[in-house]
Amino acid sequence: LVAGAESRCRSSCRLLPALPGMAPTSDAKSASGHLYWSRAPTKPEGSVPPRRLDAVAATGDAAAIPDPAPAAAAPWCPLFKWGQRGATVYLTIFVPCLKGDDDVQLDIAAGTLTFTARRVAELAGGVRAERSYRLHLQLFDEVDPARCAHHLRHDHVRVELAKRRARPWRFLQAAGVSKHPNERPDFDHCDDDSGSSDDAAPARPVSRGTPAARPRAQPVLGRMGWLLEPAEALLLGAVALYALACPYTKVEESFNLQATHDLLFHRADLQAYDHHAFPGVVPRTFAGALCLAAAAAPVVLPLHALGLPKWYAQLAVRLVLGLASACATLAVRRAARARFGRATADAHLLLCLCQFHPLFYASRTLPNTFGTLVAAVATEAWLRHSHRRALAALTVGIVVFRADLLLLLGPYAVLVAATRRLPLPTVVATGLTAAAAALLATAPVDSVLWRRPLWPEAQVLLANTV
């Protein structure tokens, strides 16, 4: 806009002496008295003061108007905004009319960033205006220059700074450096969730001199996430209602339910376990049944001691599994509320309450139920930007419960690496470590209970695909 105004001002003033009936005058109230033209920006030090056009109109010398200078003596400081997400700080520097990488020079050190740019704008009448920009920042904390990157666009440069320590930056620049007048917050890149993350604690970019708002005091149970809202209690009630209305199971649920029964009642008597007589088409892991038996034991064993029928033990086991599934769903809801707001979280809960299938199968001892529970844990971690935990949870689910989760893990891992949320070596290392840990923890148990060296889910995948 400034360049266009300057061009129109120059054109108008060149025509003023040629207009009929206009006499040269030095009166400040002449037709061109409100116009001025400047060779250089008025903000930086050493800039040329504006020159009024009254003198040009008085002398009639249009040639007295100087052509624009090739570049200002002092470089301009561009506007810029910054935000952060996880282990990356996003810095956007606004410089219009950039044409290529040769126009930009970026020097990133461990604690400083220096940006210089030169741009040439084509104005009306074939006039070329050249301007240089410079920005120097002393960063709040150290970055890894080898992992930093920048992307050039027509009107801005996006710089991605990789933190050396995955902790939130309260300011962009170091302590003792005042906030730059051209600095703006970037709310498109901010960690605003309330939960913990293994990548970084949540933090928004904060203006210096502005006291941070104190978090609202909450009860201890509320901070730990143990308090339920009335709407959340509806989800637990719906799962329990389905379990009470349909307490019996079908054949697909038999292995995990019978394995839980054997672990609770036969315990070390491996000869009495049901799977030796009825092994099924493919072997399944005991990992889910073992966790379920351990969680339900405080309820089942007193019922057994009282001499109640095992039907009550079966119902207790199903209610425990339904409670775990419902809590995983509520964890996703709370993560969605922390990231997107209460309206989104309420819509998610309403959608869950309106569906029959997830609530009905939440308490049924299917391999898919255990896989869905793991996927919910991974989704909650992803919403809280805890990408390592999400990758690890999906990998454990693939190795132990359902290899089909690979269809979810694959695109997610590619997305995390492509968007630089985590470096590719970290993504691969997280997956391999989680897979090895899950296999070492479950394969020995399954091998002992099945009486042969066994990785159950690998054999299931082989039988279903080959």
Side-chain angles (χ1 to χ4, degrees):
L1 293 175
V2 173
E6 293 174 358
S7 176
R8 289 191 294 272
C9 290
R10 289 195 299 271
S11 301
S12 301
C13 295
R14 286 191 176 103
L15 292 176
L16 283 174
L19 292 177
M22 179 176 290
T25 175
S26 59
D27 186 8
K29 296 183 179 180
S30 63
S32 62
H34 65 288
L35 300 176
Y36 69 94
W37 183 85
S38 174
R39 294 184 55 184
T42 58
K43 296 282 185 182
E45 292 186 14
S47 60
V48 180
R51 178 184 176 186
R52 298 191 65 85
L53 296 182
D54 300 3
V56 177
T59 59
D61 184 10
I65 302 178
D67 290 330
W76 286 52
C77 181
L79 289 172
F80 60 96
K81 64 179 182 178
W82 77 281
Q84 59 185 317
R85 183 172 291 165
T88 305
V89 174
Y90 297 90
L91 176 65
T92 305
I93 306 173
F94 295 97
V95 177
C97 303
L98 293 175
K99 295 183 178 180
D101 288 326
D102 294 337
D103 297 326
V104 176
Q105 293 183 3
L106 194 62
D107 182 16
I108 302 176
T112 61
L113 179 146
T114 302
F115 167 85
T116 57
R118 182 181 61 86
R119 62 102 172 175
V120 178
E122 299 288 344
L123 304 179
V127 179
R128 294 166 55 88
E130 182 177 326
R131 182 172 294 166
S132 60
Y133 296 82
R134 186 177 186 275
L135 174 65
H136 179 75
L137 300 174
Q138 299 180 22
L139 300 178
F140 179 82
D141 201 354
E142 290 188 353
V143 298
D144 187 357
R147 295 190 293 118
C148 297
H150 73 279
H151 309 278
L152 181 64
R153 301 293 184 264
H154 174 66
D155 59 348
H156 70 273
V157 178
R158 169 67 56 82
V159 184
E160 298 177 3
L161 302 174
K163 303 176 183 176
R164 279 191 174 163
R165 288 184 289 271
R167 64 176 186 176
W169 287 16
R170 189 160 182 81
F171 308 104
L172 176 61
Q173 298 202 67
V177 180
S178 59
K179 180 178 179 292
H180 198 284
N182 288 358
E183 177 185 324
R184 304 291 185 269
D186 184 0
F187 293 106
D188 291 332
H189 297 90
C190 61
D191 290 337
D192 54 0
D193 52 279
S194 59
S196 61
S197 169
D198 60 0
D199 296 308
R204 283 177 177 262
V206 186
S207 299
R208 291 187 183 272
T210 303
R214 286 187 175 182
R216 184 180 299 177
Q218 295 180 353
V220 175
L221 292 180
R223 289 198 298 269
M224 298 179 67
W226 293 354
L227 291 182
L228 287 178
E229 300 177 4
E232 294 177 337
L234 288 177
L235 186 68
L236 297 177
V239 172
L241 182 62
Y242 279 121
L244 293 172
C246 304
Y248 303 105
T249 59
K250 58 180 183 177
V251 65
E252 290 87 349
E253 309 166 41
S254 61
F255 172 78
N256 282 304
L257 187 62
Q258 190 64 44
T260 306
H261 167 273
D262 295 341
L263 290 167
L264 285 170
F265 293 100
H266 297 311
R267 302 171 194 171
D269 186 8
L270 302 184
Q271 298 294 335
Y273 278 38
D274 180 78
H275 69 283
H276 298 309
F278 303 98
V281 179
V282 290
R284 290 290 184 180
T285 180
F286 275 81
L290 187 60
C291 295
L292 189 56
V299 180
V300 172
L301 296 182
L303 294 177
H304 180 63
L306 293 174
L308 295 176
K310 289 184 178 180
W311 181 87
Y312 292 100
Q314 174 178 319
L315 183 61
V317 167
R318 288 197 52 194
L319 288 175
V320 168
L321 179 58
L323 175 65
S325 300
C327 288
T329 303
L330 293 179
V332 174
R333 175 186 182 268
R334 294 189 175 191
R337 179 177 61 186
R339 183 167 179 180
F340 302 113
R342 188 175 185 86
T344 302
D346 291 342
H348 171 265
L349 181 61
L350 181 62
L351 184 62
C352 293
L353 290 171
C354 292
Q355 295 185 83
F356 164 78
H357 190 273
L359 299 178
F360 180 80
Y361 281 96
S363 63
R364 298 194 168 271
T365 54
L366 289 165
N368 287 350
T369 303
F370 293 102
T372 303
L373 200 155
V374 171
V377 172
T379 303
E380 184 268 344
W382 166 62
L383 289 174
R384 295 190 183 277
H385 305 293
S386 184
H387 301 295
R388 290 187 183 90
R389 185 156 57 93
L391 291 170
L394 290 175
T395 304
V396 170
I398 292 170
V399 172
V400 179
F401 295 114
R402 294 296 299 185
D404 312 64
L405 288 173
L406 181 63
L407 298 176
L408 179 60
L409 174 64
Y412 175 63
V414 172
L415 177 65
V416 169
T419 57
R420 300 178 183 272
R421 304 296 171 82
L422 289 177
L424 182 59
T426 303
V427 173
V428 175
T430 301
L432 293 178
T433 303
L439 193 58
L440 290 175
T442 60
V445 176
D446 290 322
S447 299
V448 170
L449 294 174
W450 283 98
R451 299 176 178 174
R452 65 180 188 271
L454 181 65
W455 176 10
E457 194 56 31
Q459 191 163 336
V460 172
L461 179 63
L462 184 65
N464 289 337
T465 56
V466 179

